[in-house]
Amino acid sequence: MTETAVLILCGLIAGPVVGGLVSGLDRILTARMQSRIGPPLLQPFFDVVKLLAKEPLVVNVWQAFCAYCYIAAASIALVLFFLQSDLLLIFFVQAVGAVFLVVGALSSTSPYSQIGAHRELLQILSYEPLLVLVVVGFYLETGSFKLTDIYAWPHPMLLKLPFLFIVLGYALTIKLRKSPFDLSTCHHAHQELVKGLLTDYSGPFLALTEIGHWFEVVLMLGVCTLFWATSWIGMAVLLAVTYFLEVLVDNVTSRMNWRWMLSYVWGVGLTLSLVNLIWLHQG
Amino acid sequence: MQGIKRFINQLRAKSPWLLHFDCGSCNGCDIEILACLTPVYDVERFGIIHVGNPFHADLLLTSGTVNHRNKKVLANLYSQMPSPKIVVAIGACGLSGGIFREAYNVVGGIDKVIPVDVYVPGCPPKPEAIIDGVVLGLGKLQAPQERNGERKEA
Ligand code: SF4
């Protein structure tokens, strides 16, 4: 009982703390790649505390409601991950949160948040099938959807599911809102989108969506660790390399449109997963 | 309680997100403002992010004269910014109407429509002067009693 409580608490604390630090590191790395100095490591926390302390202005109450639902779903998904629950369940809880964010944006009449919401829906449509296929890959290898069984598996998963890891990389890039898939909202697109999906969230509610995003980032990084669950060093190296590549890709690519995203991500992603799944089935 | 308030006010000055509005300027001031926001000066070091959205902004940088057409836009942008907020008026035009002050369509400076916290003179002001003005504004963000035009006490 106490162990469960401790795990829940760990999940609730790890989400914002690790997520914020990762986001700070990300901003510094990005700045260095553009030969700038970049903000302090704790900048994302400054931003969020400032936003929480601002005057709450809502376009309509549904938006506030949706922001709360989003952060609730995102944190529950991460807590379930810490409790070593069922992988499918975690992904569906996470998907509910993502949809609430879109509903919140759609509840305002601003054209920017409408466009952002539609693009976010298309992004969800692109990465959800890939995530499910990754989970299916785990199932074919270990015979279970439970995280306890996957973590207990004696061999590194990466050697058996290399293509599925690349597929997860695509999903991760979309989820982290990185170029070339930062269509729905991003700080660099204010000429075309203002802030897209998040345009009408402001003050404390914007902070909630940001913290929810951190929960999701930590969850996705957690899923990455499954690919090398046999040793701590393997996990750390895999995470560091993956995140560095994400930042690199973010900086060397430009924002594309949703048609390209859908055809490219589905084309490459589904092919790679199919190859990997057939290989697993044969082997 | 007082300590927490002071701490939050300090954080406010560490993460000022700014919105730039060209209120009918000749673009001289805007070029200088945008020059400040280029990677050369790397304002992200101080947590400054250039946002395109009044809902997310803490600092409003305005340049140019107010006229009868855009005074509503200016007032609208200001009212969409959640408090606490700071307005920095830039250039002779933003301060008083500048060389355009006697034109038939001109209302005057920014402060005819919304409360202004910092005035940066010049035609156009140098980027250094604009940065000085923004720093002055950040000081006011830290000290709530110095701010103008709050919707309510922060
Ligand atoms: S102050 Fe000078 S440079 Fe600035 S908008 Fe007016 S005329 Fe142009």
Side-chain angles (χ1 to χ4, degrees), chain B residues 24-30 63-65 90-94 97-100 122-125:
Chain B
S25 121
C26 78
N27 271 1
C29 287
D30 297 301
S63 55
T65 54
I90 287 165
C93 294
I99 53 164
F100 305 112
C123 179

Side-chain angles (χ1 to χ4, degrees), chain A residues 247-259:
Chain A
V247 177
L248 192 68
V249 166
D250 186 30
N251 277 289
V252 298
T253 54
S254 55
R255 192 172 319 110
M256 304 297 264
N257 60 21
W258 65 266
R259 284 188 191 82

Side-chain angles (χ1 to χ4, degrees), chain A residues 114-245:
Chain A
Q114 295 273 334
I115 292 179
H118 288 145
R119 289 187 182 180
E120 179 75 9
L121 278 180
L122 287 161
Q123 289 189 4
I124 295 174
L125 194 66
S126 331
Y127 73 72
E128 282 298 334
L130 302 187
L131 284 182
V132 172
L133 283 172
V134 171
V135 175
V136 168
F138 282 132
Y139 178 76
L140 283 186
E141 175 69 8
T142 63
S144 165
F145 286 119
K146 283 291 251 187
L147 277 175
T148 23
D149 298 337
I150 299 173
Y151 269 119
W153 199 246
H155 315 292
M157 218 63 92
L158 188 60
L159 305 177
K160 276 301 185 63
L161 310 172
F163 293 137
L164 279 178
F165 188 69
I166 301 175
V167 171
L168 182 67
Y170 280 103
L172 187 65
T173 317
I174 300 178
K175 205 70 215 160
L176 290 177
R177 307 223 168 91
K178 297 259 178 231
S179 278
F181 306 125
D182 50 354
L183 309 163
S184 69
T185 173
C186 109
H187 263 305
H188 317 292
H190 62 224
Q191 306 280 344
E192 61 167 291
L193 266 181
V194 181
K195 191 88 166 71
L197 184 70
L198 302 177
T199 301
D200 280 347
Y201 289 98
S202 70
F205 305 106
L206 185 65
L208 289 184
T209 63
E210 184 65 23
I211 299 172
H213 182 63
W214 292 349
F215 274 113
E216 288 194 325
V217 169
V218 176
L219 174 67
M220 291 302 284
L221 293 179
V223 174
C224 283
T225 63
L226 290 178
F227 279 84
W228 207 289
T230 47
S231 81
W232 286 105
I233 300 178
M235 268 188 213
V237 171
L238 190 67
L239 274 189
V241 171
T242 313
Y243 206 86
F244 182 76
L245 286 178

Side-chain angles (χ1 to χ4, degrees), chain A residues 47 50 53-54 199 201, chain B residues 12 15 44 53 56 58 151:
Chain A
D47 291 348
K50 173 205 77 176
K54 287 204 82 164
T199 301
Y201 289 98
Chain B
R12 282 194 170 121
S15 140
E44 204 193 355
N53 181 359
H56 298 174
D58 307 294
R151 204 186 304 258

